[in-house]
Amino acid sequence: MTQQRKVALVTGASRGIGAAIAQQLIQDGFFVVGTATSESGAQKLTESFAEHGTGAVLDVREGEAIDALVSHIEQQYGSVLVLVNNAGITKDNLLLRMSEDDWDDILNIHLKAVYRLSKRVLKGMTKARFGRIINISSVVAHFANPGQANYSAAKAGIEAFSRSLAKEMGSRQITVNSVAPGFIATEMTDQLSEDVRKKMIDQVALNRLGEPQDIANAVSFLASDNASYITGTVLHVNGGLYMA
């Protein structure tokens, strides 16, 4: 693999939104490294990407693992020029019942991982005079949701981080943006009752849940040359659930 194709790193690429993003970037001509939390998940990614990419195991909470993975990518495929920080989990609870571990885990997986991964790839982007950092935020950074103080705080922090880094790196032609999904149809929403799903849909102006591909399309645009003059912004993809 040579640097003829730009290398994209997508965390949390084994399912849902991350899987759609990885496949879309492959269609866009990128060589994609997608991460999963297990060996089996990484192997499935390698098989699905074929010659267009590879899967890798990564726990985004581990700084040494992040450094080792990016070093391996640089040695084998070239500098990461598109980074999509998508990996994430939820540990919802009312604040009165939320443990400190649940608070720390969400902040580490979402916010600290974005800091670590972004910092690690900046040298290669700076040398190339090209870079796209795209952070997956959430509508809950703007639209209050009880029981998600940890998740909302992490996502709002990601957006503030993105604006600051966009200011720092703009002169190097590196853009930093966030995509904030609304209610997206995933394995998690498939498990909800029809009543709960209806209540969610009733809040959306377009009267439907979004699809992972809707988020992948937004990422595709921000990674492209067509978005070269867009940085430090939040692209809301929520069907009118929240209107900025």
Side-chain angles (χ1 to χ4, degrees):
M1 173 65 197
T2 69
Q3 193 69 28
Q4 291 178 333
R5 286 189 289 175
K6 293 186 178 73
V7 176
L9 171 59
V10 180
T11 64
S14 61
R15 60 181 181 175
I17 290 172
I21 291 170
Q23 290 296 334
Q24 182 59 54
L25 291 178
I26 285 173
Q27 290 183 38
D28 293 342
F30 292 95
F31 182 87
V32 175
V33 179
T35 75
T37 56
S38 67
E39 289 285 355
S40 61
Q43 181 60 36
K44 287 179 181 177
L45 286 173
T46 298
E47 293 169 359
S48 67
F49 292 171
E51 72 274 15
H52 305 296
T54 188
V57 177
L58 179 67
D59 183 341
V60 296
R61 294 170 295 188
E62 300 294 333
E64 290 183 0
I66 288 172
D67 186 62
L69 175 60
V70 176
S71 294
H72 173 74
I73 294 169
E74 290 171 341
Q75 292 165 9
Q76 294 296 316
Y77 311 113
S79 297
V80 174
L81 298 184
V82 174
L83 169 65
V84 183
N85 285 305
N86 168 74
I89 61 169
T90 57
K91 290 191 174 182
D92 297 350
N93 215 331
L94 297 176
L95 189 62
L96 283 170
R97 300 172 185 166
M98 185 180 293
S99 70
E100 192 162 336
D101 285 345
D102 285 351
W103 173 271
D104 289 344
D105 217 20
I106 292 298
L107 270 290
N108 284 334
I109 289 172
H110 290 271
L111 187 54
K112 193 167 187 178
V114 168
Y115 151 75
R116 282 173 164 162
L117 281 153
S118 299
K119 183 177 181 181
R120 181 59 184 81
V121 301
L122 282 176
K123 185 175 181 181
M125 291 181 176
T126 299
K127 185 177 180 180
R129 301 285 295 180
F130 176 94
R132 301 281 190 267
I133 296 176
I134 303 163
N135 299 318
I136 305 303
S137 176
S138 171
V139 68
V140 302
H142 307 263
F143 179 86
N145 214 19
Q148 290 194 314
N150 51 359
Y151 188 76
S152 299
K155 293 302 190 181
I158 284 171
E159 292 182 6
F161 169 90
S162 300
R163 288 189 291 270
S164 183
L165 187 59
K167 282 278 190 179
E168 293 180 17
M169 303 309 300
S171 64
R172 278 91 166 173
Q173 306 308 307
I174 299 168
T175 66
V176 188
N177 293 289
S178 302
V179 175
F183 296 153
I184 306 299
T186 62
E187 293 176 6
M188 182 180 71
T189 58
D190 289 343
Q191 297 172 8
L192 299 175
S193 68
E194 282 301 315
D195 184 57
V196 171
R197 282 172 61 90
K198 184 179 184 304
K199 288 179 179 178
M200 293 172 66
I201 291 170
D202 285 346
Q203 299 177 65
V204 180
L206 292 179
N207 201 36
R208 65 176 177 85
L209 298 180
E211 297 292 336
Q213 188 61 42
D214 293 317
I215 309 306
N217 292 340
V219 170
S220 173
F221 168 64
L222 290 174
S224 73
D225 291 339
N226 291 330
S228 63
Y229 202 57
I230 299 173
T231 194
T233 195
V234 179
L235 181 51
H236 291 277
V237 186
N238 60 47
L241 171 65
Y242 169 84
M243 300 183 186

